[in-house]
Amino acid sequence: MNRKGKKVVSDINITPFTDVVLVLLIIFMITTPMLSQHEIKVSLPQSAEATEKTEDKVTEILVDKDGFLYLNKKQIHKKYFEKSIKEEVKKYPDRPVVIKGDRNVKYDLIVNVMDKAKKAGVTKFGLATDIPDKKA
């Protein structure tokens, strides 16, 4: 007790610490989903004629500049590609397949992907291209 008869409080006030922790938690909750949504960069060849976009109604096969394969934005090893596309065809038999091959990939690899997809039962194909800039 001090001179006036009041008891001295020796507890630590953790309210400011709690506020900081909650603000950091909110920041992490907002930024974490943004970190996991990365896109696969594919530089598509250009075409003079444009077609309508139907990305939500197709099975998408990407072949990046290094030759890596992606089925619906999930990387797949080349030796498991045919099995994976067969499973996709079983789930969605009428869905067309769009192949997005980087312009620097060998033509042979794209043909190989098309052959494996055809063996897996795919009957409708499309090759994705970019529309050239009007300025060029």
Side-chain angles (χ1 to χ4, degrees), residues 53-114:
K53 288 188 176 186
T54 56
E55 290 181 11
D56 56 340
K57 301 173 190 169
V58 299
T59 299
E60 192 176 79
I61 300 171
L62 282 102
V63 184
D64 71 3
K65 65 181 179 180
D66 299 318
F68 293 113
L69 297 175
Y70 299 85
L71 181 62
N72 293 330
K73 299 184 181 173
K74 295 178 187 169
Q75 187 173 8
I76 298 193
H77 194 277
K78 291 177 186 177
K79 67 180 179 180
Y80 302 117
F81 173 73
E82 195 170 344
K83 179 183 173 190
S84 299
I85 195 74
K86 273 184 187 177
E87 291 172 5
E88 190 72 17
V89 169
K90 283 181 185 176
K91 279 196 257 182
Y92 308 104
D94 296 330
R95 192 180 270 187
V97 171
V98 174
I99 298 173
K100 295 183 174 183
D102 193 278
R103 70 177 72 195
N104 299 317
V105 171
K106 289 185 177 183
Y107 186 68
D108 183 46
L109 182 57
I110 300 297
V111 171
N112 191 1
V113 167
M114 289 177 73

Side-chain angles (χ1 to χ4, degrees), residues 8-24:
V8 177
V9 178
S10 63
D11 293 336
I12 298 173
N13 186 2
I14 63 164
T15 304
F17 175 74
T18 307
D19 290 342
V20 170
V21 169
L22 289 175
V23 168
L24 287 173

